[in-house]
């Protein structure tokens, strides 16, 4: 019988590491995906995944079941990613987005040379534009665009008012549009 | 209805414009210009919609292998690792030596600079390396205390930990000042935050009640200091490996 998240959390709160491992096995990939989209490279992503689980373990006592464990965890992961991006920025180390990890605009099938060239251009532009977003813009955009979280949820996760969160999403989309529109509008149909 | 602005188009695209969604949809149906702008926006955002590179098979096992030692229950305040207080007492002396050597190389006058340039360059690298290694060890020790406290489920007497925090405090001040003088701004900032936490630990009551322990743990967590120390520590290890 499969243990639910709620059951695993209840056991883990009592110090049961096997129960906690069930949660780690179940949710690590989604944490990885979120962290990857926010940090843009695998090394930082792995650090964020690790830190997310450490914080989750220490905060289990504060978890309230009504939110759902996955939702609670993505908030922790988003904040860990933000912390790391800020440290990197303060170090003057701009995020280095892996082009291939952020987007793949080549549709399935046999891409011709034109489409490959355009796709490569889109990749590069997108990586540059994502790296140029402020930490908060990137966090809000990733949560809205990739994770499908509502503005309200994002505001709660990042500790921002709804209007401030909206503005972060607007600014992020505007920057991405400015960077990508010239290449995307030149792409053949289907890209 | 006036043409939609970019914010309205974005909210509409993401399904956020719940209140006036019907009015927006009506306008979009009747206005080719706004419809075209929405299509352009959607084409751009479609280019950002893609799969992420997935972690390798066995990723979850690797996560657990790294995590397990850090969450393993420890006997309260047993200090199972080989950091007996007497050995910790060398932390301050180590810091003085590492920082002293680092600073001496930077600030003491030397004769015949031209002739000694290659020697000084090599000596400079050596000093930097000593400093990086010593600071890395300091961060590892600090991290251990913080993790012990963060994972503690019960605590009666933390006087031993306070003594260790005091030891690390002295060393921390030296490393912080040295890092600041060397232009290592972020390292200096993290050390500054670490110093406040170590001070917090050192000045807590020696006997903690459960709520007091929880409050201390929350203060450590709020600042995310363990993570920051880990990030800086791993960068120092990278630097050490590269030199």
């Amino acid at each position: 019988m499969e243990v639910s998240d709620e059951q695993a959390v209840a056991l883990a709160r009592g110090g049961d590491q096997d129960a906690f491992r069930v949660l780690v096995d179940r949710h690590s990939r989604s944490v990885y995906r979120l962290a990857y989209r926010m940090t843009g490279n695998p090394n930082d992503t792995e650090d964020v995944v690790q830190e997310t689980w450490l914080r989750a373990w220490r905060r289990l006592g504060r978890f309230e079941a009504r939110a759902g464990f996955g939702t609670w965890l993505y908030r922790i992961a988003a904040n860990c990613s933000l912390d790391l991006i800020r440290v990197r920025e303060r170090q003057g180390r701009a995020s280095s987005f892996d082009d291939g990890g952020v987007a793949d605009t080549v549709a399935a099938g046999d891409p011709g040379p034109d489409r490959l060239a355009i796709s490569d251009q889109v990749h590069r532009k997108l990586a540059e534009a994502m790296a140029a977003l402020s930490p908060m813009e990137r966090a809000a955009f990733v949560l809205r665009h990739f994770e499908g979280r509502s503005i309200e949820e994002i505001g709660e996760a990042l500790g921002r008012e709804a209007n401030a969160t909206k503005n972060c999403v607007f600014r992020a989309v505007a920057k991405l549009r400015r960077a990508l529109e010239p290449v995307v509008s030149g792409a053949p149909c289907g890209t | 209805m006036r043409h939609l602005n970019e914010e309205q188009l974005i909210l509409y695209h993401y399904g956020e414009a719940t209140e006036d969604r019907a009015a927006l949809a009506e306008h979009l149906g009747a206005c080719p210009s706004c419809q075209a702008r929405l299509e352009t926006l959607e084409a751009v955002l479609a280019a950002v919609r893609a799969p992420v590179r997935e972690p390798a098979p066995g990723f979850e096992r690797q996560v657990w292998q790294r995590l397990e030692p850090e969450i393993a229950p420890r006997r309260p305040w047993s200090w199972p690792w080989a950091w007996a207080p007497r050995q910790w007492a060398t932390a301050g002396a180590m810091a003085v030596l590492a920082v002293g050597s680092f600073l001496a190389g930077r600030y003491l006058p030397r004769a015949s600079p031209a002739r000694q340039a290659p020697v000084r360059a090599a000596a400079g690298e050596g000093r930097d390396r000593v400093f990086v290694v010593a600071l890395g060890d300091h961060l590892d020790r600090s991290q251990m205390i913080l993790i012990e406290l963060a994972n503690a489920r019960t605590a009666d007497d933390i006087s031993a930990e306070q003594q260790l925090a005091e030891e690390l405090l002295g060393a921390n001040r030296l490393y912080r000042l040295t890092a600041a003088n060397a232009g290592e701004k972020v390292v200096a900032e993290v050390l500054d935050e670490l110093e406040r936490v170590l001070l917090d630990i050192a000045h807590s009551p020696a006997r903690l009640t459960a709520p007091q322990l929880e409050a201390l743990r929350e203060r450590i967590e709020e600042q995310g200091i363990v993570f920051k120390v880990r990030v800086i520590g791993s960068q120092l290890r990278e630097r050490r490996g590269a030199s």
Side-chain angles (χ1 to χ4, degrees):
Chain A
M1 189 188 80
E2 191 170 278
V3 179
S4 71
D5 279 357
E6 287 70 27
Q7 289 168 321
V9 168
L11 291 168
R13 270 177 165 165
D16 185 333
Q17 290 189 38
D18 291 337
F20 194 63
R21 182 166 186 176
V22 169
L23 297 166
V24 170
D25 286 346
R26 194 173 288 164
H27 293 280
S28 281
R29 279 179 190 262
S30 57
V31 172
Y32 183 96
R33 281 191 284 271
L34 169 61
Y36 193 97
R37 280 169 168 144
M38 284 186 65
T39 63
N41 68 77
N43 290 339
D44 284 347
T45 299
E46 284 175 18
D47 284 345
V48 168
V49 172
Q50 205 66 23
E51 179 64 14
T52 297
W53 284 115
L54 275 173
R55 287 189 193 179
W57 171 256
R58 291 173 194 146
R59 295 176 187 177
L60 271 178
R62 284 182 253 164
F63 167 68
E64 292 174 18
R66 66 185 159 82
F69 183 76
T71 299
W72 182 71
L73 193 64
Y74 96 79
R75 288 182 191 175
I76 297 177
N79 282 290
C80 284
S81 303
L82 257 183
D83 287 349
L84 188 74
I85 296 167
R86 283 174 173 149
V87 169
R88 294 279 183 258
E89 292 225 327
R90 276 157 52 211
Q91 287 175 316
R93 284 173 58 178
S95 306
S96 55
F97 269 80
D98 287 355
D99 301 15
V102 177
D104 183 0
T105 54
V106 180
D110 182 21
D114 284 354
R115 279 179 55 172
L116 275 178
I118 289 166
S119 168
D120 185 48
Q121 221 180 339
V122 171
H123 279 195
R124 276 188 286 107
K125 288 277 180 194
L126 179 55
E128 285 167 17
M130 286 293 284
L133 299 181
S134 76
M136 198 51 91
E137 288 165 1
R138 198 186 305 165
F141 177 75
V142 166
L143 293 175
R144 177 56 267 187
H145 187 76
F146 291 108
E147 300 290 316
R149 303 289 173 179
S150 70
I151 296 285
E152 193 186 347
E153 286 177 309
I154 298 167
E156 276 176 26
L158 302 178
R160 308 273 288 208
E161 295 293 333
N163 275 341
T165 309
K166 252 187 222 173
N167 285 331
C168 284
V169 174
F170 293 156
R171 284 198 302 273
V173 172
K175 287 179 183 176
L176 290 170
R177 188 180 57 70
R178 277 199 295 277
L180 293 177
E181 199 174 307
V183 275
V184 170
S185 59
C189 292
T191 55
Chain B
M1 186 177 183
R2 283 192 294 179
H3 289 307
L4 306 190
N5 60 32
E6 185 168 28
E7 283 80 4
Q8 286 173 309
L9 289 173
I10 292 168
L11 292 178
Y12 185 83
H13 168 77
Y14 285 126
E16 290 276 356
T18 47
E19 284 174 15
D20 52 355
R21 192 166 180 80
L24 295 182
E26 192 181 334
H27 178 85
L28 282 165
C31 178
S33 162
C34 285
Q35 184 60 41
R37 287 170 56 228
L38 178 65
E39 283 169 11
T40 305
L41 175 71
E42 287 181 335
V44 168
L45 291 174
V48 191
R49 194 171 296 283
V52 130
R53 185 176 298 156
E54 284 290 321
F59 168 68
E60 291 84 353
R61 187 169 35 81
Q62 287 168 10
V63 171
W64 183 252
Q65 279 170 354
R66 283 177 66 191
L67 188 63
E68 193 179 16
E70 302 216 42
I71 65 170
R74 299 181 174 102
R75 282 186 295 121
W77 320 115
S78 59
W79 302 97
W81 9 277
W83 302 105
R86 187 178 298 171
Q87 285 163 296
W88 282 65
T90 60
M94 282 262 301
V96 169
L97 280 174
V99 169
S101 129
F102 183 80
L103 293 178
R106 283 190 169 232
Y107 301 120
L108 291 184
R110 300 283 178 99
S112 310
R115 273 176 50 199
Q116 292 193 0
V119 178
R120 287 180 66 182
E125 282 172 19
R127 282 191 305 273
D128 285 349
R129 190 175 156 75
V130 168
F131 181 70
V132 165
V133 169
L135 177 56
D137 287 347
H138 170 74
L139 292 176
D140 285 346
R141 293 174 188 194
S142 303
Q143 200 181 313
M144 283 185 210
I145 285 197
L146 299 178
I147 289 172
E148 282 282 338
L149 278 167
N151 289 345
R153 302 219 165 237
T154 57
D156 295 324
D157 182 358
I158 66 161
S159 53
E161 289 65 45
Q162 291 181 307
Q163 190 189 331
L164 300 176
E166 286 278 4
E167 278 293 334
L168 289 171
L169 262 175
N172 198 84
R173 281 191 198 102
L174 278 173
Y175 288 127
R176 173 172 56 77
L177 291 171
T178 310
N181 285 332
E184 298 274 3
K185 196 175 159 219
V186 177
V187 175
E189 280 175 14
V190 172
L191 287 170
D192 185 50
E193 289 180 38
L194 176 60
E195 206 164 300
R196 291 162 207 252
V197 174
L198 290 173
L199 262 174
D200 218 2
I201 296 168
H203 293 168
S204 290
R207 289 193 169 277
L208 289 180
T209 62
Q212 283 172 327
L213 175 64
E214 184 58 28
L216 179 60
R217 213 157 35 189
E218 275 183 17
R219 286 202 294 280
I220 292 172
E221 276 209 10
E222 267 168 20
Q223 299 178 45
I225 187 67
V226 180
F227 189 36
K228 290 176 191 168
V229 165
R230 183 176 301 127
V231 169
I232 298 293
S234 71
Q235 283 168 4
L236 289 175
R237 271 188 291 279
E238 277 172 28
R239 227 196 272 184
R240 203 188 307 179
S243 65

